[in-house]
Amino acid sequence: MRFLLLNHIQNAKQSLKSSRVRSTLTMLGITIGVASITAILALSGGASKVITNQIDALGGNIAVIRPGITSSTVDNVTQAQPSRDYATSTLTEKDITYITNTPHIQSVAPLMVLSGVIKADSTAPEGSLIVATTPELETISGLKMREGQFLDSTVDKNTVAVGLQLSINVFGTESSIGKLLYIKGEPFTVIGVLKRINNPINYNSVDFDNAAIINFESGKSLNQNVAQIQQIDVKADSVENLEQAVNDINKTIKSSHKGEKDFSVLVGEQIAQPTSQLFFMIAKVTTAVAAISLIVGGIGIMNIMLVTVAERTREIGIRKALGASNTDISCQFLIESLAISLGGCISGYLLGYIVAIAISKFLIFYPVFTWQIALTALIVSLTTGILFGLYPALSAARKDPIESLHRYE
Amino acid sequence: MTDTTSTPVINLHDLQKRFGIGDAEIFALNGINLSIEKGEFVAIMGPSGCGKTTLLNIIGLLDQSYDGEYELDGQSVATISKRKRARIRSKQIGFVFQSFNLINRLSVIDNVALPLIYKGVTKTKRLVIASDILRNFHLNEREYYMPHQLSGGQTQRVAIARALVNDPSIILADEPTGNLDSRSSHIIMEELSDLHKRGNTIIMVTHNPRLTTYASRVITMLDGQIDTDTKTNNVNDVKSTPHIEEHKSAQSIKRKKKFFSRIKTRRRKK
């Protein structure tokens, strides 16, 4: 039995210590790579967690129907908010009727996001949305009123519920009930102000703090009497019946769409995906950058290890003469490069979270801490260490002992 | 001392070593036939470039590219795997180099303990054994010195201590006194001849004819071939010079005796 591993670790520690600056600089390459990967994973995890939490909070019996098929990620990114204005929705008013008549469906709320000027004392800033929907949205999305009431079937057609921020923006006050709000030139009476939600990322893709919510019919009339449905929110009567309901919806809408599957019914985590798709796209690009920095860091390791091997050629010769096998020699150098990458991993992981927490101060969600992220960082850095340490280690082992002994340090 | 009935420890038959190819081909070793018995103290002499060191490297299993037969303990070396050869170097062979070849970034005791690493000895045990050996070379106060803080003679004693730490049966010394003055040389030779008395096989390359008096067999080489091969009879009659007498205090002799008895008991236990 040979207890070489411990010895190699001690050896690596000592040799890294003796060239501290060099080791630290080499480690830095891996640190940056691991840090960016950690930060991205932590933040994107945080982003999708926000949405999943919302859905969970609403009871988990929510389904969302969106036009188009969500399998293609690029499509989903291009269907993000700005381009909705000119993308024709495949969902129709008929579909709403079908869905409403599906068994186990408790409530249905279509969402029609319009663009247009919102005006009162002052014009609402960009990013304010006009949302046309049905009263059921209140229960499905769990909207809470600060003052007044949400839309219901009894109120007048030209009434509006506004988000708190919008109310402040256009009226200069939080209590704007009874005031007139001009949407696309049409006057609407404010009947309710929503509680602040502070949650621009949600599965409705609507920042309700900044939205004017009007009746679906009014929305249609503002849009040349055409229903432009971006999304239909559906709530089943229980979690158990949700799957059955989703299947029924799929079937009925598909048959009414002449057998064409030009929509998707999303449940649970699927809902979160397309909403944060743009974010994930950015995350992917950043991951690619992180991968490149890891490769560069790896090349740094390889470079330094080759230098170390060259520096210690004589030592290799001595060790071989004293009974070290090729495996012993290659292990010694491999563990040294692993030590560098492991050091980079630990400092990168910490730095990644520092960066993620710093960034999250400007965002509305927090980075997540999961063992998967730690494991990913570990695997990624160790793989880099092995991959780029292997060649120097093998070249060290292959050195001829006699030639090595004649090399003077 | 030598036992002619047993198989020789080292048996070389028509050993050839070539450098270069074609017209530039040079025979560093050209048909060496040599058998060395267990317990011999062989001194190899000869002018520079006659192939002494090359021969030593082949015997020490460091060089594998040769023609001819080399049998170690009756086994043909060509059939031994690389890993096994490393194992043999670790357990049976001790190297002493002319240029000491200590690892500069390791302390004296770590250098001495180095061969034990590859034998699989645990760290505490390694240090105990290394410390024991160093004490017998009067270096116990220098255990945590770095190699560059030692004198030439001390460095070579460390190198010999390192060669001995594994208790090897064959000790290969390549001009162990080449870099030392005559006084240090004789101290080193004293150590080697003590080892010889304990039954180790020693093969030493040297330039200095005076040192051959310690050997039981003197081989001179010329142009890659063995020129003369004489056995001397003064096997245990080691010559003492005034230098040595001067150096050895009564204390150190006592220590040495203690060391040998300890080694012997260790052997017997095995």
Side-chain angles (χ1 to χ4, degrees), chain B residues 93-128:
Chain B
I93 298 174
F95 270 99
V96 181
F97 302 95
Q98 177 185 7
S99 46
F100 320 131
N101 276 339
L102 299 183
I103 296 175
N104 287 333
R105 60 188 179 84
L106 298 182
S107 66
V108 165
I109 195 162
D110 282 340
N111 260 297
V112 173
L114 199 60
L116 295 170
I117 290 175
Y118 300 109
K119 219 177 161 186
V121 182
T122 54
K123 188 169 185 184
T124 353
K125 249 188 174 171
R126 283 205 298 267
L127 293 180
V128 169

Side-chain angles (χ1 to χ4, degrees), chain A residues 63-299:
Chain A
V64 161
I65 301 143
R66 291 202 175 108
I69 295 160
T70 48
S71 59
S72 158
T73 48
V74 179
D75 275 2
N76 280 316
V77 174
T78 49
Q79 276 176 13
Q81 257 159 334
S83 52
R84 285 206 177 156
D85 295 343
Y86 50 82
T88 313
S89 172
T90 50
L91 296 175
T92 62
E93 277 180 276
K94 256 191 200 163
D95 296 334
I96 300 171
T97 330
Y98 289 135
I99 293 165
T100 320
N101 293 334
T102 309
H104 302 304
I105 292 297
Q106 203 177 49
S107 42
V108 178
L111 240 72
M112 181 172 167
V113 181
L114 302 166
S115 59
V117 184
I118 304 172
K119 224 174 124 179
D121 300 343
S122 56
T123 311
E126 242 174 89
S128 309
L129 292 170
I130 307 160
V131 182
T133 184
T134 53
E136 277 92 346
L137 186 71
E138 187 184 9
T139 49
I140 294 176
S141 291
L143 299 177
K144 300 252 163 37
M145 299 311 294
R146 189 175 187 279
E147 262 176 63
Q149 64 160 116
F150 199 70
L151 310 172
D152 69 31
S153 48
T154 59
V155 298
D156 190 77
K157 196 167 150 280
N158 277 1
T159 49
V160 63
V162 294
L164 187 65
Q165 191 57 46
L166 184 71
S167 167
I168 295 168
N169 285 345
V170 295
F171 297 111
T173 168
E174 290 172 357
S175 26
S176 47
I177 292 186
K179 297 192 175 174
L180 273 186
L181 183 69
Y182 290 88
I183 298 173
K184 284 186 146 184
E186 293 280 323
F188 285 83
T189 318
V190 177
I191 55 163
V193 181
L194 298 175
K195 258 194 185 160
R196 190 179 281 279
I197 301 166
N198 225 350
N199 215 348
I201 298 183
N202 54 44
Y203 65 92
N204 287 321
S205 306
V206 172
D207 178 6
F208 284 109
D209 289 343
N210 256 320
I213 301 161
I214 55 172
N215 225 306
F216 191 67
E217 289 305 316
S218 333
K220 236 171 78 181
S221 70
L222 287 176
N223 199 32
Q224 292 84 41
N225 275 324
V226 179
Q228 252 298 11
I229 304 161
Q230 272 84 22
Q231 177 170 312
I232 303 171
D233 294 352
V234 170
K235 189 176 186 178
D237 51 10
S238 72
V239 182
E240 292 75 41
N241 290 331
L242 184 65
E243 200 184 328
Q244 173 66 34
V246 165
N247 285 341
D248 288 348
I249 292 169
N250 258 326
K251 232 178 276 167
T252 45
I253 304 189
K254 193 174 173 183
S255 64
S256 78
H257 284 203
K258 295 176 183 166
E260 188 105 16
K261 183 138 176 46
D262 50 7
F263 62 92
S264 27
V265 185
L266 306 171
V267 192
E269 302 229 327
Q270 294 171 323
I271 303 174
Q273 261 168 15
T275 325
S276 47
Q277 207 75 49
L278 190 67
F279 188 86
F280 286 127
M281 203 71 164
I282 295 165
K284 269 180 200 164
V285 173
T286 334
T287 311
V289 174
I292 290 168
S293 81
L294 269 177
I295 290 172
V296 173
I299 292 170

Side-chain angles (χ1 to χ4, degrees), chain A residues 13-28:
Chain A
K13 206 170 92 185
Q14 192 194 17
S15 103
L16 292 180
K17 237 189 220 169
S18 64
S19 52
R20 199 167 291 170
V21 178
R22 200 165 74 183
S23 318
T24 315
L25 287 177
T26 315
M27 239 177 242
L28 201 64

Side-chain angles (χ1 to χ4, degrees), chain A residues 1-4 7 10-11 14-15 312 314-315 318-328 332 400-402 405 408-409, chain B residues 57 62-63 82-83 86-87 89-90 95 97 99 101-106 114-115 117-123 126 162 166:
Chain A
M1 191 56 204
R2 309 178 107 196
F3 308 95
L4 281 182
N7 181 70
Q10 287 160 354
N11 203 353
Q14 192 194 17
S15 103
R312 289 209 220 136
R314 220 161 92 98
E315 183 185 320
I318 295 168
R319 282 176 186 272
K320 278 194 170 182
L322 296 180
S325 67
N326 285 3
T327 324
D328 294 335
Q332 181 190 335
D400 180 43
I402 299 167
L405 278 172
Y408 284 82
E409 278 167 344
Chain B
N57 284 338
L62 286 178
D63 197 343
K82 269 189 180 174
R83 180 172 277 277
R87 192 67 63 83
R89 277 203 298 272
S90 159
F95 270 99
F97 302 95
S99 46
N101 276 339
L102 299 183
I103 296 175
N104 287 333
R105 60 188 179 84
L106 298 182
L114 199 60
I117 290 175
Y118 300 109
K119 219 177 161 186
V121 182
T122 54
K123 188 169 185 184
R126 283 205 298 267
R162 185 179 64 183
N166 267 349

